[in-house]
Amino acid sequence: NQPRLGHWSHPRWVRVNTIKSDLDEQLRTTFAGYKTIESLEEMLRYSPSSAGKLIHIDKHVPNLLALPPATNLSKTPAYLNGQIILQDKASCFPAYLLSPEVEDGDCLDACAAPGNKTTHLSAILHDEGRAAATPKIYAFERDKGRASTLLTLVQKAAAQDHVIAKVGLNFLNSDPTKTPWDGVGTLLLDPSCSGSGIVGRDATLDVVLPSKKTSNPLKLQSKKRKRKLTPETTPTVNDVPEEIPIDEDKPSDQLSARLTALSTFQLKLLLHAFHFPKARRITYSTCSIYAEENEHVVMKALGSTIAYERGWRILRREEQVTGMKGWKIRGKVDACMDIAKDGEISTAEVAEACIRCEKGTKEGTQGFFVAAFASQVNKSIRTE
Ligand code: SAM
């Protein structure tokens, strides 16, 4: 009855959409008759055939449930009417780590489609702001096709009262000094990345290969890797943001060229977010396993002039919301040291503040990375 790694170790994660329902109601209805298992590891020890109706309430993210991987919820009324959302645990970290509050002002999701994190932000603000006027969530998505999925998911989750979708708009073209961006207090950045942490993808092969017919990398597609857009995954194959010179004969060059282009773009987004005058907190996340897209981007951002001018610093582990403070897998010190200049920033502190998830472990997550930044200029930092 040992788990089959890579399959059995990745449970079906379910987020209860608190705009439409709550945990108790779901346990009484959709999951009536399910046996609650205290530890995720224990649940993963059952073989798929004997797993039956088991459920585990997550210890880190509120309103999150784990079920055996084979569980199919796609025909349940709760899934069809948006009371539950199928979302990987790690993908719930950014909105939870950001935990916007009503008094923070408006929120901005810079790279929003398909929209799982947008609807999660909306649920958090909804829970926070029952009695007060709920702030807006501006959701940028530059790809119009993907933005239509975002609009569908927002409607399904009943988040349309909070979310204002900026369809086909590039976040980098927003002027932070102009209304309404000058009122944004929190930003969630989940940019295009290598996708190397996604379960079922091979990190070393996660490279977009150029088609023989086109020299435009924006049109490059890997036949093998072309995937359908589903709300649960974070497609990246079509998201190559910059022109990337790739030598087809050298796979390592392809990977390193792609990582350079991606991380340049990711850093640009993060530095743009640092310019928002009222911003107090920002989260930056990727579903990548590579330091180049993760700790390196964080360290470069912290060492930037705008970070210095606006007082941006890392949100330390002890300042994070309870579930994130308690998450054990943290950033890599060596990766922070790759970028650190002598004595400027404590690499140990930054690494400890960064959150990583690893795929194929007993934690049952995809490979993921998230870090939060706080502005010292605006002192109000939430610690719960
Ligand atoms: N946060 C999404 C979720 O949880 O469902 C996944 C986001 S996906 C990793 C990145 C998205 O950002 C893609 O849909 C891409 O089209 C969009 N994007 C990339 N650069 C952008 C930009 N500069 N402005 C707006 N959207 C952008």
Side-chain angles (χ1 to χ4, degrees):
N1 275 358
Q2 283 304 302
R4 281 192 286 135
L5 277 182
H7 171 66
W8 185 228
S9 62
H10 197 80
R12 158 67 63 206
W13 290 103
V14 176
R15 177 168 65 79
V16 176
N17 176 16
T18 52
I19 303 176
K20 284 197 152 181
S21 183
D22 60 42
L23 190 58
D24 287 346
E25 183 185 43
Q26 287 308 309
L27 292 175
R28 273 188 279 108
T29 56
T30 311
F31 303 112
Y34 279 62
K35 185 180 170 202
T36 306
I37 303 279
E38 246 326 280
S39 108
L40 179 66
E41 225 180 309
E42 191 191 328
M43 189 175 86
L44 295 175
R45 278 199 206 106
Y46 289 81
S47 75
S49 53
S50 67
K53 291 185 160 188
L54 304 178
I55 198 161
H56 166 78
I57 300 172
D58 188 58
K59 303 246 183 321
H60 299 98
V61 179
N63 305 305
L64 187 69
L65 300 166
L67 292 98
T71 313
N72 182 358
L73 299 166
S74 63
K75 297 200 170 62
T76 60
Y79 174 73
L80 294 171
N81 69 26
Q83 289 183 320
I84 58 171
I85 291 169
L86 308 183
Q87 184 173 356
D88 194 88
K89 175 170 176 171
S91 152
C92 296
F93 283 12
Y96 176 48
L97 182 60
L98 191 63
S99 280
E101 293 180 309
V102 170
E103 52 271 24
D104 290 333
D106 293 332
C107 183
L108 191 153
D109 185 349
C111 299
N116 281 331
K117 298 178 188 76
T118 316
T119 57
H120 192 192
L121 284 173
S122 179
I124 291 171
L125 275 170
H126 174 85
D127 295 348
E128 276 288 320
R130 281 187 206 285
T134 308
K136 297 278 174 259
I137 300 166
Y138 296 104
F140 277 78
E141 176 49 57
R142 69 172 178 195
D143 180 316
K144 287 191 182 153
R146 295 169 62 91
S148 74
T149 309
L150 168 76
L151 294 174
T152 306
L153 289 195
V154 165
Q155 285 284 339
K156 192 177 172 193
Q160 68 276 10
D161 290 348
H162 321 146
V163 176
I164 299 180
K166 294 287 164 191
V167 176
L169 292 193
N170 186 335
F171 168 65
L172 290 170
N173 292 339
S174 60
D175 181 344
T177 61
K178 298 240 165 82
T179 310
W181 316 128
D182 56 355
V184 166
T186 52
L187 295 98
L188 185 147
L189 307 187
D190 185 43
S192 310
C193 70
S194 64
S196 45
I198 294 173
V199 170
R201 295 181 97 177
D202 178 341
T204 56
L205 292 177
D206 191 25
V207 178
V208 175
L209 299 172
S211 115
K212 296 273 180 216
K213 286 189 186 140
T214 177
S215 60
N216 178 0
L218 291 170
K219 292 192 183 144
L220 299 182
Q221 301 214 332
S222 155
K223 280 188 189 144
K224 271 193 195 160
R225 307 249 166 245
K226 203 172 166 190
R227 292 176 299 130
K228 257 179 116 182
L229 178 62
T230 71
E232 271 187 279
T233 56
T234 310
T236 55
V237 173
N238 296 326
D239 288 337
V240 184
E242 323 276 344
E243 185 98 5
I244 307 172
I246 290 172
D247 181 344
E248 280 185 67
D249 299 327
K250 292 189 192 160
S252 62
D253 279 5
Q254 292 173 16
L255 180 60
S256 111
R258 180 157 158 75
L259 289 180
T260 304
L262 283 166
S263 59
T264 305
F265 156 75
Q266 291 153 348
L267 180 62
K268 201 168 167 186
L269 279 181
L270 186 47
L271 296 185
H272 187 64
F274 279 178
H275 282 82
F276 282 64
K278 293 244 174 70
R280 293 175 178 186
R281 278 191 317 285
I282 296 170
T283 55
Y284 168 78
S285 53
T286 72
C287 50
S288 165
I289 60 167
Y290 296 114
E292 287 87 339
E293 297 179 87
N294 299 328
E295 288 90 348
H296 287 190
V297 172
V298 167
M299 287 297 294
K300 286 176 187 168
L302 288 171
S304 67
T305 309
I306 184 72
Y308 175 76
E309 284 171 3
R310 299 285 171 99
W312 284 103
R313 63 174 179 77
I314 199 85
L315 185 72
R316 292 187 297 273
R317 181 173 183 173
E318 63 271 21
E319 296 173 313
Q320 294 170 2
V321 287
T322 311
M324 296 294 86
K325 210 175 353 200
W327 181 255
K328 294 206 169 61
I329 314 170
R330 314 304 294 193
K332 296 184 195 300
V333 181
D334 287 358
C336 291
M337 283 167 67
D338 289 344
I339 305 298
K341 294 179 198 136
D342 282 349
E344 266 185 8
I345 299 167
S346 160
T347 48
E349 186 177 284
V350 175
E352 188 67 6
C354 294
I355 291 166
R356 269 186 176 264
C357 295
E358 281 159 18
K359 63 178 165 182
T361 67
K362 61 181 167 44
E363 308 294 343
T365 62
Q366 59 172 332
F368 202 81
F369 176 91
V370 59
F373 299 87
S375 165
Q376 277 164 336
V377 174
N378 300 293
K379 289 213 163 42
S380 159
I381 291 162
R382 180 182 181 175
T383 54
E384 269 193 352

